[in-house]
Amino acid sequence: MSVATSPSPATPSVAPAATPEVRRVLSRPRFSLLVFAGVYPLVTALLYVIAPLTAGWALWQQTLVLVPIIVATMVWGLIPFLYRRFSGFLHPVRDGAGR
């Protein structure tokens, strides 16, 4: 024999309280600062390495060697590292009003 149970009047159902909307948005100024801090030493070090090897070359030829190395390092190394290591700094919490 099964007995149907109904909600007890002692435990009224309560709607969940409204919570303010919280968003995590990428801070472009912070991201720019971190990218600058990573790219500057990368470019400087590569210039020291490549300059003696490309002595006598035109500037456009030197940069043609330098830029692909920098871009590859940024795309597969620097930027993923920044997102993993500084995620909290790059994505500050903002409320629904955009503050």
Side-chain angles (χ1 to χ4, degrees):
M1 174 164 113
S2 73
V3 177
T5 59
S6 63
S8 168
T11 57
S13 63
V14 178
T19 58
E21 180 184 346
V22 176
R23 300 182 310 141
R24 295 180 64 91
V25 180
L26 175 67
S27 171
R28 290 177 190 242
R30 292 178 181 190
F31 182 63
S32 300
L33 178 70
L34 288 175
V35 169
F36 174 80
V39 169
Y40 179 76
L42 173 65
V43 171
T44 304
L46 285 174
L47 283 172
Y48 276 114
V49 170
I50 290 178
L53 302 174
T54 59
W57 290 19
L59 181 62
W60 70 267
Q61 293 170 323
Q62 291 176 333
T63 57
L64 187 62
V65 172
L66 186 69
V67 169
I69 297 169
I70 293 171
V71 170
T73 303
M74 287 179 63
V75 170
W76 285 292
L78 179 66
I79 292 175
F81 170 77
L82 293 177
Y83 270 106
R84 278 192 310 270
R85 181 69 176 93
F86 297 101
S87 180
F89 178 71
L90 290 173
H91 298 89
V93 176
R94 304 222 173 127
D95 63 10
R99 289 177 260 160

